[in-house]
């Protein structure tokens, strides 16, 4: 492609010291959402995930890249060109997307590329991205075409990101930019910053977070030498542990067979029958090979024999999916069930545990609390543990690969189990002393109560069977910093909280990870790996993105408030709300690493320091946040910039965050909203989550204002912002395939942002010190001063979002529910269908409950009801559309589609619309609404559109009087 280099629009000499950053003016959030979403959907294919799949809430690298570049790049007086260059750097431009499609080289990608290349602009950006590689997956020259243009616009002279970042840093800060993340978590922000070429400071209060960040820098970001070292260590560790296990003779079964997996269940005595009943929710071991277990009653001992059946019939498979623990439905309490002589006996699990509630409201149960030396239940415990299936493996006699077989548990198996228990028991104290097995108590907490309450487990090692403890201890013995990642994965995938996963495509089955969600859920049956299937966990399949040798990286394990280094850019994703209780669940790993950690990690505090972790949403949370952000502000260059990411949960968070940054001496300069969550997460809850990016600078001076003046200022700012973004939409049209760069929801967000921008400029409003206001205790349900101002700003933004075809004077008269319906119809006509749009607009238009107005609530397939789907509903007093003109119009459309006589339809309409004859504007409104609906529905529901046209004519031609 020939490159037209535009003259540089920035003023020479190139000093960007006080230049606004690009992210303060624009960010292509629609495209970025598509990219972020694609990355999140990649699951284990994500760049850093293999280092620790147990980490929840990774912020997409592509989003982090956008934030960092957006802070470094200047906004010039040519926003269109700024946008073009930014998109090139993000590989979102036309040529890069073409390369990405080519790199994918799938059938779908080739098809998409053919369309893309032919200029048939039928797809939208999201569709192209769906079929293409992520930028970081493309090898070769993805960026070769961009540098001339980039250099031309920015006045740089570079051919790579590290060079660009260094030059931009010098122009802005006088040196290579220093980027910091003091809530670094799994290291997603620090890694991206380092990969781009920034010097990086990362810290977190949690040592597991520090470890993952260290791994991101030094392993995924490490060079060839680091990888060679890791490969050598992996091989030697695996060999050593295998030799030790062979010597103990605990995995060999003769004729070359080795244990690949074992399946355990709890067992308990039925209080009704006195029988010992295995607690197995599903009797299926493998869907692929149709392996199940069958329970054979043994009268004499009142026990069940457990027999393996391979090749079960479809009926037997169906029956086996219902085991001895069932529940009537989601959220219903599970019960144990078994049948003796044709009689079914049911007992609730809570009854088995002996749950009770005392007069003072406290609760408990009759489970014995385990002691430090316990490795398994004692003979008189309510719950016993039983191994009930063994999966064996050996190399195929001919060719490559392995053969596997499930076998019933034999006396030899039980002997091997006992040998393991004895060996671990003999060494327990010594190993705990050395730190090879945890000796740490489980501290009570929101998430950590569960193992204590439901199993009586009181130490972290109780979450592992003796065999799991043995393997983990043998690995721990030889642990190095580099091997800690595989080791943590081993713990994650091989604990008493690891389900046996024999679902379709899983072959014979394998254990699942403990942290399949962000809790510590105890299980009634679970799997355990033989060492042969632990090897793949230790030999992690890690990606490689060497960080430039000149880049400096540092990781420390400190609370954010203890920050000591000066940085230019802070990009942080602080803990908000109770989303993930890192400070509790990660103790699962801390327990194993805290004593004698590898040298590289030995300076870190191997404790989760729960009391210092920022959590919750109350005053304590706000105070913690203010202390942290105040410190970051103090440790930021004068012209430094911050981006804070947080999950958009409810409107109240805006006021919260505004207060926090305010009290920290910061000032908002922009805010953006990016949809980041994956589809499956979207489906779980009714609320869609996206990420809000708040862009901040140090607040300058001590400005005062009054609420009255603020209102004007907010209005002006919001209107200017909306105009700028809609203007950019128009400008970008030719260039960007007729797609909007910003949707209405983004523009609405810009409304919030504009409000915060105005508000946070001031330290004192109406004589009130806003810093004190921020940390003032709140009364539940109270609408604060700031809440009020923000609500005002949002209303102002909405005023600017009148859909075309309805005059503003009429729009102002409509109710929130009417505006919502009409607006959503407009969005649907343009192909939008994500539920979060509906949520945002319902909130904006103050619709109490938008659900009755929707025909589908699917995360990516939401839509409003058609007139026929409304039928006769939503007409009564309880409805938000009650007595509205819109409802009357929809009713008429429904009747017309049922072929009712036009005269009858009209006469119903005159009754349904209040003051039809008295107020002429009502008729005008009906005509406008019918015309509006006809135009919007033309492409999606032609029949209804035609009814709307008929209604329009009927009303227009109606003879009055
Ligand atoms: C939302 S997570 C960050 C996730 C990260 N951006 C990622 O992509 O993985 C928030 C982090 O803040 C840390 N944290 C909580 N309180 C802290 C404090 N007082 N100081 C420093 N870090 C803290 C938690 O340990 C957690 O790792």
């Amino acid at each position: 492609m020939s490159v037209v280099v535009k003259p540089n629009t920035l003023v020479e000499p190139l000093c960007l010291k006080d230049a606004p950053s690009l992210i303060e003016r624009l960010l292509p959030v629609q495209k970025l959402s598509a990219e972020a979403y694609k990355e999140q959907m990649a699951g284990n294919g994500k760049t850093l995930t293999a280092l620790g799949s147990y980490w929840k809430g990774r912020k997409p690298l592509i989003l982090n890249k956008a934030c960092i570049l957006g802070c470094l790049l200047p906004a010039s007086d040519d926003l269109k060109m700024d946008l073009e260059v930014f998109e090139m750097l993000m590989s979102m431009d036309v040529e890069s997307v073409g390369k990405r499609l080519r790199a994918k080289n799938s059938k779908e990608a080739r098809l998409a590329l053919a369309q893309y290349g032919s200029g048939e602009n039928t797809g939208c950006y999201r569709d192209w991205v769906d079929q293409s590689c992520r930028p970081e997956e493309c090898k070769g020259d993805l960026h070769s075409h961009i540098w001339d243009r980039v250099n031309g616009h920015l006045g740089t002279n570079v051919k790579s990101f590290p060079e660009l970042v260094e030059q931009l840093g010098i122009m802005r800060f006088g040196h290579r930019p220093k980027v910091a993340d003091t809530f670094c978590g799994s290291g997603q922000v620090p890694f991206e910053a380092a990969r781009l070429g920034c010097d990086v400071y990362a810290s977190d209060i949690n040592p597991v977070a520090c470890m993952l960040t260290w791994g991101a820098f030094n392993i995924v970001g490490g060079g060839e030498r680091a990888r060679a070292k890791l490969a050598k260590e992996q091989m030697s560790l695996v060999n050593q542990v295998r030799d030790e296990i062979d010597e103990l003779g605990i995995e060999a079964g003769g004729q070359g067979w080795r244990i690949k997996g074992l399946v355990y269940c709890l067992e308990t005595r039925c209080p009704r029958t006195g029988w010992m009943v295995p607690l197995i929710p599903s009797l299926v071991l493998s869907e692929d090979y149709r392996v199940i277990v069958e329970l054979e009653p043994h009268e004499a001992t009142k026990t069940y024999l457990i027999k393996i059946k391979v090749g079960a019939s479809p009926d037997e498979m169906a029956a086996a999916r219902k085991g001895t623990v069932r529940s009537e439905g989601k959220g219903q309490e599970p019960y144990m069930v078994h049948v003796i002589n044709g009689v079914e006996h049911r007992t609730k699990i809570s009854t088995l545990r002996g749950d009770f509630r005392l007069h003072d409201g406290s609760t408990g149960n009759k489970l014995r609390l385990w002691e430090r030396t316990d490795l398994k239940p004692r003979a008189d415990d309510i719950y016993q543990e039983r191994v009930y299936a063994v999966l064996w493996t050996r190399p195929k006699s001919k060719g490559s690969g392995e053969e596997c077989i499930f076998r019933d548990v034999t006396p030899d198996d039980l002997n091997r189990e006992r040998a393991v228990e004895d060996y671990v028991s003999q060494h327990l104290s010594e190993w705990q002393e050395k730190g090879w097995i945890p000796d740490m108590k489980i501290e009570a907490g929101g998430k950590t109560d569960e193992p204590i309450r439901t199993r009586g487990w009181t130490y972290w090692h109780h979450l592992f069977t003796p065999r799991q403890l043995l393997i983990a201890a043998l690995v721990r013995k030889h642990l190095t910093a580099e091997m800690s990642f595989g080791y943590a994965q081993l713990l994650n995938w091989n604990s008493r909280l690891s389900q046996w996963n024999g679902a379709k495509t899983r072959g014979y089955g394998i254990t699942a990870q403990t942290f399949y969600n962000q809790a510590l859920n105890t299980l009634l049956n679970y799997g355990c790996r033989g060492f042969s299937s632990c090897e793949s966990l230790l030999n992690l399949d890690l990606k490689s993105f060497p960080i430039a040798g000149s880049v400096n990286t540092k990781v420390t394990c400190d609370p954010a408030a203890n920050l000591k280094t000066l940085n230019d850019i802070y990009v942080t994703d602080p803990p908000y709300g109770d989303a993930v209780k890192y400070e509790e669940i990660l103790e699962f790993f801390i327990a194993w690493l805290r004593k004698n950690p590898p040298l590289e990690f030995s300076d870190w505090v191997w404790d989760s320091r729960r009391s210092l972790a920022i959590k919750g949403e109350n005053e304590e949370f706000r105070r913690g946040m203010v202390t942290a952000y105040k410190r970051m502000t103090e440790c930021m260059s004068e012209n430094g910039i911050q981006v804070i990411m947080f999950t958009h949960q409810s409107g109240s968070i805006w006021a919260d965050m505004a207060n926090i940054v305010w009290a920290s001496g910061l000032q908002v300069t922009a805010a953006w909203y990016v949809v980041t969550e994956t589809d499956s997460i979207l489906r779980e809850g009714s609320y869609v989550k996206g990420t809000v990016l708040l862009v901040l600078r140090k607040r300058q001076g001590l400005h005062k204002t009054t609420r009255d003046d603020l209102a004007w200022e907010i209005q002006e700012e919001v209107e200017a912002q909306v105009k700028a973004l809609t203007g950019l939409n128009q400008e970008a049209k030719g260039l960007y395939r007729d797609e909007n760069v910003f949707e209405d929801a983004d523009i609405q967000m810009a409304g919030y942002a504009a409000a915060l921008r105005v508000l946070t400029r001031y330290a004192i409003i109406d004589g009130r010190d806003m810093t004190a206001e921020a940390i003032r205790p709140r009364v539940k349900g109270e609408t604060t001063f700031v809440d009020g101002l923000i609500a005002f700003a949002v209303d102002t933004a909405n005023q600017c979002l009148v859909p075309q075809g309805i005059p503003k004077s009429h729009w102002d008269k409509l109710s929130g529910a009417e505006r919502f319906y009409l607006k959503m119809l407009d969005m649907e006509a343009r192909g939008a269908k994500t539920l979060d749009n509906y949520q945002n607009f319902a909130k904006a238009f103050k619709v109490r409950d938008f659900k009755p107005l929707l025909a589908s609530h699917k995360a990516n397939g939401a839509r409003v009801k058609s007139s026929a789907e409304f039928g006769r509903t939503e007409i009564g007093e309880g409805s938000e559309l009650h007595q509205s003109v819109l409802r009357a119009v929809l009713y008429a459309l429904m009747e017309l589609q049922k072929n009712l006589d036009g005269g009858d339809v009209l006469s119903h309409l005159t009754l349904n619309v209040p003051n039809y004859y008295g107020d002429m504007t009502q008729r005008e409104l009906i005509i406008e609404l019918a015309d509006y609906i006809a135009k919007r529905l033309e492409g999606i529901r032609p029949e209804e559109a035609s009814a709307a046209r008929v209604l329009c004519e009927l009303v227009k031609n109606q003879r009055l009087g």
Side-chain angles (χ1 to χ4, degrees):
M1 176 177 125
S2 67
V3 178
V4 185
V5 179
K6 269 193 80 160
N8 171 27
T9 49
L10 297 165
V11 191
E12 302 279 0
L14 288 168
C15 172
L16 300 177
K17 188 165 163 284
D18 299 315
S21 292
L22 184 103
I23 197 168
E24 293 177 292
R25 294 290 155 81
L26 65 86
L27 193 71
V29 280
Q30 293 300 324
K31 288 187 175 181
L32 195 52
S33 292
E35 299 283 358
Y37 182 81
K38 182 178 175 72
E39 183 176 331
Q40 293 295 64
M41 288 298 277
N44 286 339
K46 284 189 268 184
T47 298
L48 298 178
T49 299
L51 277 175
S53 58
Y54 46 85
W55 187 273
K56 304 295 164 199
R58 289 174 180 271
K59 280 283 173 280
L61 295 169
I62 191 99
L63 176 66
N64 304 339
K65 177 175 179 179
C67 290
I68 297 160
L69 285 179
C71 287
L72 281 171
L73 289 165
S76 72
D77 49 9
D78 183 351
L79 281 186
K80 194 172 150 203
M81 191 64 192
D82 290 347
L83 178 64
E84 215 180 309
V85 164
F86 180 74
E87 294 197 345
M88 283 183 160
L89 292 167
M90 294 296 296
S91 308
M92 292 170 168
D93 61 301
V94 175
E95 191 158 351
S96 296
V97 174
K99 287 183 179 178
R100 291 167 57 185
L101 282 167
R102 234 165 277 133
K104 183 77 176 191
N105 201 21
S106 67
K107 201 171 118 205
E108 292 78 16
R110 279 193 295 274
L111 208 71
L113 187 65
Q115 282 181 350
Y116 193 71
S118 72
E120 270 178 53
N121 299 333
T122 48
C124 69
Y125 188 75
R126 192 173 282 272
D127 297 334
W128 303 127
V129 168
D130 272 355
Q131 301 306 337
S132 69
C133 278
R134 301 201 307 277
E136 59 182 345
E137 290 172 313
C138 297
K139 304 275 177 264
D141 71 340
L142 182 59
H143 307 301
S144 57
H145 64 284
I146 71 172
W147 298 116
D148 286 345
R149 194 116 168 177
V150 168
N151 288 328
H153 181 58
L154 297 173
T156 46
N157 174 19
V158 300
K159 283 266 179 285
S160 71
F161 277 98
E163 284 172 11
L164 174 73
V165 161
E166 175 133 16
Q167 290 196 12
L168 289 175
I170 289 171
M171 292 180 196
R172 202 175 269 281
F173 304 111
H175 50 248
R176 183 183 309 138
K178 293 180 192 168
V179 174
D181 177 3
T182 54
F183 296 102
C184 67
S186 61
Q188 298 274 123
V189 172
F191 173 75
E192 190 57 53
R195 177 159 69 165
L196 281 173
C198 309
D199 283 344
V200 187
Y201 172 83
S203 67
D204 197 288
I205 197 169
N206 197 300
V208 178
C210 296
M211 183 177 110
L212 289 171
T213 305
W214 185 94
F217 287 152
N218 294 288
I219 300 184
V220 176
E224 262 174 42
R225 278 237 315 270
R227 297 310 282 264
K229 179 167 181 267
L230 175 65
K232 208 169 128 203
E233 285 178 1
Q234 277 169 340
M235 200 154 72
S236 111
L237 186 143
V238 165
N239 288 340
Q240 285 182 72
V241 175
R242 198 190 301 117
D243 288 351
E244 288 177 64
I245 284 177
D246 283 351
E247 207 165 297
L248 290 170
I250 52 166
E251 287 201 350
Q255 298 176 332
W257 292 104
R258 292 183 70 90
I259 292 178
K260 186 176 166 80
L262 303 109
V263 194
Y264 296 80
C265 65
L266 299 190
E267 192 167 52
T268 194
R269 196 167 298 284
C270 168
R272 289 160 209 273
T273 60
W275 278 61
M276 281 302 281
V277 183
L279 298 174
I280 311 180
S282 165
L283 303 172
V284 176
L285 289 171
S286 158
E287 290 278 354
D288 288 344
Y289 293 94
R290 288 181 283 119
V291 187
I292 60 173
V293 289
E294 291 178 324
L295 304 188
E296 258 179 34
H298 191 254
E299 260 315 320
T301 52
K302 292 197 166 181
T303 56
Y304 286 94
L305 301 176
I306 304 183
K307 300 278 187 195
I308 306 258
K309 174 159 195 163
V310 180
S313 70
D315 284 350
E316 286 169 328
M317 288 300 289
R321 285 184 199 108
K322 282 190 175 172
T324 59
V325 180
R326 298 180 199 164
S327 138
E328 298 296 352
K330 216 175 165 203
Q332 298 292 309
E333 206 191 320
Y335 55 87
M336 173 179 89
V337 55
H338 72 130
V339 180
I340 300 289
N341 298 329
V343 182
E344 187 180 274
H345 301 276
R346 290 180 175 209
T347 314
K348 283 185 187 165
I349 298 290
S350 55
T351 308
L352 295 173
R353 278 195 306 250
D355 283 8
F356 58 77
R357 180 180 286 276
L358 297 177
H359 291 310
D360 62 2
S362 61
T363 55
N365 62 40
K366 298 209 169 119
L367 297 180
R368 176 184 71 88
L369 291 179
W370 288 29
E371 292 172 16
R372 191 180 62 83
T373 48
D374 284 320
L375 295 174
K376 58 175 207 165
R378 294 188 193 163
D380 51 357
D381 280 347
I382 293 175
Y383 287 141
Q384 296 297 305
E385 182 175 67
R386 175 174 175 181
V387 57
Y388 68 92
V390 186
L391 177 62
W392 294 92
T393 179
R394 69 176 175 192
K396 278 188 179 152
S397 51
K398 279 193 199 129
S400 59
E402 58 172 5
E403 56 178 327
C404 293
I405 184 168
F406 266 113
R407 293 207 195 115
D408 292 340
V409 175
T410 64
D412 278 350
D413 291 321
L414 295 179
N415 285 339
R416 274 186 289 267
E417 288 291 280
R418 211 154 305 128
V420 172
E421 286 158 23
D422 290 347
Y423 190 74
V424 176
S425 185
Q426 281 159 22
H427 291 85
L428 186 66
S429 290
E430 177 202 336
W431 289 355
Q432 287 186 325
E433 191 57 42
K434 289 182 167 153
W436 298 350
I437 283 186
D439 61 356
M440 185 169 131
K441 271 202 147 183
I442 306 176
E443 193 183 324
K447 294 288 168 195
T448 44
D449 274 353
E450 163 121 359
I452 307 173
R453 185 181 63 83
T454 63
R455 294 292 176 272
W457 296 338
T458 56
Y459 282 81
W460 284 101
H461 69 280
H462 295 153
L463 273 62
F464 299 81
T465 66
R467 193 178 279 277
Q468 289 167 335
L469 288 176
L470 175 63
I471 292 181
L474 294 180
V475 175
R476 179 69 175 82
K477 192 165 135 181
H478 306 287
L479 201 67
T480 61
E482 285 82 356
M483 284 306 298
S484 302
F485 302 91
Y487 170 65
Q489 288 291 36
L490 171 75
L491 301 172
N492 180 29
W493 291 84
N494 199 29
S495 83
R496 278 188 170 122
L497 309 191
S498 298
Q499 289 178 10
W500 183 259
N501 182 359
K504 277 223 172 320
T505 76
R506 295 283 153 188
Y508 283 93
I510 190 76
T511 64
Q513 60 177 337
T514 301
F515 291 101
Y516 64 93
N517 64 12
Q518 48 212 38
L520 289 162
N521 296 325
T522 51
L523 303 168
L524 295 165
N525 67 331
Y526 35 87
C528 166
R529 295 186 178 217
F531 187 66
S532 65
S533 45
C534 293
E535 292 178 19
S536 61
L537 297 171
L538 295 167
N539 294 327
L540 293 178
D541 182 14
L542 298 168
K543 303 209 183 321
S544 178
F545 290 96
I547 292 170
S550 53
V551 162
N552 299 304
T553 58
K554 176 145 181 75
V555 186
T556 68
C557 187
D558 276 322
N562 290 11
L563 178 68
K564 292 189 186 65
T565 61
L566 188 72
N567 298 286
D568 307 311
I569 299 175
Y570 287 87
V571 179
T572 49
D573 165 28
Y576 184 84
D578 278 334
V580 184
K581 289 190 184 296
Y582 298 102
E583 71 284 2
E584 292 190 21
I585 60 176
L586 294 173
E587 287 175 355
F588 177 91
F589 301 102
I590 293 176
W592 285 89
L593 280 151
R594 62 194 267 269
K595 273 196 187 172
N596 300 324
L599 193 66
E600 290 83 340
F601 310 156
S602 57
D603 281 347
W604 303 339
V605 180
W606 280 94
D607 186 300
S608 63
R609 291 183 276 181
R610 287 193 195 183
S611 62
L612 292 181
I614 296 176
K615 52 192 172 300
E617 288 180 34
N618 57 14
E619 258 172 270
E620 201 190 327
F621 160 78
R622 285 199 297 272
R623 210 166 298 133
M625 289 282 279
V626 169
T627 322
Y629 281 95
K630 223 180 186 157
R631 188 66 197 142
M632 283 182 241
T633 314
E634 286 160 5
C635 291
M636 181 166 87
S637 346
E638 273 312 297
N639 63 340
I641 183 167
Q642 292 212 15
V643 179
I644 303 184
M645 307 178 180
F646 59 88
T647 308
H648 183 240
Q649 290 169 332
S650 67
S652 66
I653 188 181
W654 286 95
D656 249 7
M657 292 306 296
N659 279 320
I660 289 165
V661 299
W662 217 327
S664 312
L666 291 163
Q667 177 181 337
V668 176
T669 55
W672 307 101
Y673 178 65
V674 181
V675 178
T676 42
E677 297 306 326
T678 63
D679 210 19
S680 63
I681 295 174
L682 291 184
R683 266 189 231 111
E684 268 174 28
S686 55
Y687 276 89
V688 175
K689 282 187 189 163
T691 298
V692 173
L693 310 175
L694 271 193
V695 185
L696 306 140
R697 298 271 190 173
K698 274 191 186 181
R699 188 170 57 237
Q700 305 296 339
L702 193 77
H703 300 291
K704 296 180 186 174
T705 189
T706 65
R707 199 199 302 228
D708 289 345
D709 285 347
L710 262 183
W712 287 111
E713 221 182 313
I714 288 179
Q715 185 157 352
E716 265 174 34
E717 187 93 1
V718 169
E719 281 171 4
Q721 172 88 53
V722 171
K723 217 168 131 205
L725 296 187
T726 37
L728 204 58
N729 267 351
Q730 292 310 319
E731 270 202 56
K733 283 258 149 95
L735 189 63
Y736 293 99
R737 297 166 181 264
D738 234 19
E739 273 180 63
N740 283 337
V741 185
F742 301 102
E743 294 291 349
D744 282 354
D746 307 323
I747 294 175
Q748 207 174 51
M749 281 294 148
Y752 280 109
L756 293 192
R757 233 172 16 228
V758 173
L759 285 174
T760 55
R761 259 179 225 155
Y762 299 99
I764 294 172
I765 301 177
D766 278 355
R768 270 187 231 222
D769 174 357
M770 297 315 291
T771 310
E773 172 72 15
I775 41 183
R776 183 176 62 76
R778 297 285 142 79
V779 183
K780 210 171 174 213
E782 172 196 16
T783 308
T784 63
F785 178 56
V786 175
D787 290 336
L789 288 169
I790 288 179
F792 169 76
V794 173
D795 278 350
T796 312
N798 290 334
Q799 304 297 324
C800 309
L801 297 176
V802 182
Q804 261 184 14
I806 301 181
K808 180 135 180 346
S809 56
H810 282 171
W811 180 253
D812 290 346
K813 279 189 359 195
L814 297 177
S815 72
E818 287 176 289
R819 290 186 196 178
F820 171 78
Y821 186 89
L822 294 168
K823 185 76 206 174
M824 297 332 286
L825 220 51
D826 186 47
M827 310 269 293
E828 284 172 22
R830 290 192 271 135
K833 40 184 185 256
T834 54
L835 187 63
D836 66 337
N837 266 325
Y838 292 76
Q839 282 163 0
N840 285 334
F841 276 100
K843 196 152 10 93
F845 293 135
K846 301 204 173 58
V847 179
R848 279 194 311 279
D849 182 8
F850 66 94
K851 297 219 173 78
L853 310 182
L854 259 54
S856 162
H857 301 92
K858 283 196 196 131
N860 277 326
R863 67 176 180 84
V864 290
K865 281 182 184 159
S866 67
S867 53
E869 281 164 328
F870 270 120
R872 293 172 194 281
T873 63
E874 298 306 312
I875 238 166
E877 265 183 47
S879 163
E880 289 180 68
L881 286 176
H882 175 54
Q883 287 204 331
S884 67
V885 176
L886 174 65
R887 183 65 195 97
V889 167
L890 292 174
Y891 194 87
L893 297 186
M894 179 268 292
E895 289 190 327
L896 284 170
Q897 287 170 90
K898 283 191 174 168
N899 292 329
L900 234 75
D901 175 71
D904 290 347
V905 174
L906 260 187
S907 74
H908 295 160
L909 186 71
T910 56
L911 291 175
N912 286 340
V913 172
N915 206 9
Y916 185 92
Y917 291 110
D919 179 356
M920 284 309 284
T921 59
Q922 295 286 68
R923 276 185 68 241
E924 279 171 26
L925 182 57
I926 295 169
I927 294 168
E928 271 161 17
L929 291 183
D931 182 53
Y932 176 90
I933 292 174
K935 287 187 178 134
R936 296 307 183 284
L937 294 184
E938 198 63 77
I940 45 179
R941 291 199 291 274
E943 225 174 279
E944 202 177 346
S946 124
R949 275 195 303 275
V950 171
L951 183 69
C952 200
E953 291 310 310
L954 277 175
V955 178
K956 270 190 200 162
N957 299 328
Q958 185 189 18
R959 271 194 304 201
L960 298 172

